[in-house]
Amino acid sequence: EAVAGSDSLKEAICGDETGTVIVSLRNEAHAEICTVGASIRVQNATVRMVKGHIRLVADKWAAFKPAAEPLDVTVKEDNDISATEYE
């Protein structure tokens, strides 16, 4: 979904068997990859704090692509690390 106050920034919730995190996407092509149930390969992304919450940022240096093979995992939705506020 689009982030209020920004024309190009979008966010998606991504997860695996350990938990979920909000991913900040600066590229429209990255946002198009993020569909429900998609398997995504993320490399060289950075972690940033946004108003005390963790965000995984896929910027221009990150590799953000569909996975070579679909993953069969059950996402642990009750462990949202972006929901925790840090000081």
Side-chain angles (χ1 to χ4, degrees):
E1 67 184 45
V3 175
S6 175
D7 292 333
S8 62
L9 186 63
K10 298 192 183 303
E11 292 183 332
I13 299 173
C14 296
D16 63 10
E17 64 275 356
T18 63
T20 62
V21 66
I22 294 177
V23 181
S24 296
L25 308 163
R26 301 197 180 274
N27 183 320
E28 186 64 36
H30 291 168
E32 291 173 3
I33 294 171
C34 295
T35 59
V36 175
S39 295
I40 301 168
R41 180 176 66 102
V42 180
Q43 286 180 270
N44 206 31
T46 58
V47 173
R48 300 247 169 85
M49 299 300 288
V50 177
K51 296 181 182 176
H53 297 270
I54 291 176
R55 295 287 188 272
L56 183 64
V57 179
D59 56 18
K60 66 181 180 179
W61 293 282
F64 195 88
K65 303 176 182 180
E69 298 178 14
L71 302 174
D72 184 24
V73 298
T74 300
V75 176
K76 186 174 182 181
E77 295 181 32
D78 62 345
N79 186 24
D80 181 358
I81 65 167
S82 294
T84 304
E85 185 173 4
Y86 299 91
E87 294 183 24

